[in-house]
Structure formats: C-alpha cells, structure tokens
C-alpha cells in the first residue's frame, strides 16, 4: 500500500507542469520517504517530466515537417526512434 501511495504521489507531481526536482524531493521527504529513496524518485520524476516535454514538442510539429529533407533511411530511423520512445514510456 505504501509503495502504491508514493507511486500515486509521483504521478500526480509529474503531471503538474513546472514541478521542480527540488519541489518533488521536498514533498516526498515531508511525506516520510527516506532521503536516498526520495532523491531517486525525484530524479526519476524530473527525468520523466523532461521526456514528456520533448515528446510534446514532437507532437506540436507536423510529421511531414519533421521528415522534410531527410533521406528515406533517416526518416525510417526517426520513425523507429519515436516508436521506441513511446514504447519505453508506456512501461515507465
């Protein structure tokens, strides 16, 4: 139950735009999570926030514009990279 509670807390903090790593860490420490574990969770949440922002930037740009000027091989690599990223994020 305790781990589920922290998981919910991290997800709720990660969903808030502008959540700083320090703010997440302070929140976790206030909730009683040991410092080493709170640091690891805060680092993870900050990393997820960074990745989500990069994905949002990709989503705002039309796909044809992203692929313009790329060779067919480079375009295929871009498609694979995006698919791999989305797949990885799903399991995080």
């Amino acid at each position: 139950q305790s781990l589920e509670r922290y998981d919910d807390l991290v997800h709720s903090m990660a969903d808030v735009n502008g959540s700083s790593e320090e703010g997440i860490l302070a929140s976790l420490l206030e909730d009683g999570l040991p410092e080493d574990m709170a640091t690891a969770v805060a680092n993870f949440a900050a990393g997820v926030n960074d990745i989500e922002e990069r994905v949002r930037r990709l989503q705002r740009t039309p796909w044809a514009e992203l692929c313009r000027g790329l060779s067919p091989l480079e375009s295929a690599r871009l498609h694979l990279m995006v698919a791999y990223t989305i797949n990885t994020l799903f399991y995080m």
Side-chain angles (χ1 to χ4, degrees), residues 10-81:
V10 169
H11 283 290
S12 68
M13 286 186 287
D15 289 339
V16 176
N17 287 334
S19 291
S20 70
E21 188 174 336
E22 295 81 21
I24 294 170
L25 179 60
S27 222
L28 291 169
L29 289 172
E30 286 175 12
D31 205 33
L33 193 63
E35 185 174 350
D36 58 334
M37 188 180 269
T39 300
V41 171
N43 290 339
F44 178 76
V48 169
N49 284 341
D50 182 51
I51 292 168
E52 287 177 338
E53 177 55 34
R54 291 170 190 250
V55 169
R56 276 193 282 281
R57 277 189 261 154
L58 274 175
Q59 289 175 325
R60 287 191 296 257
T61 308
W63 193 253
E65 187 177 318
L66 286 173
C67 295
R68 187 181 350 207
L70 297 178
S71 71
L73 181 59
E74 291 170 327
S75 180
R77 285 182 178 155
L78 178 62
H79 283 78
L80 286 172
M81 185 239 359

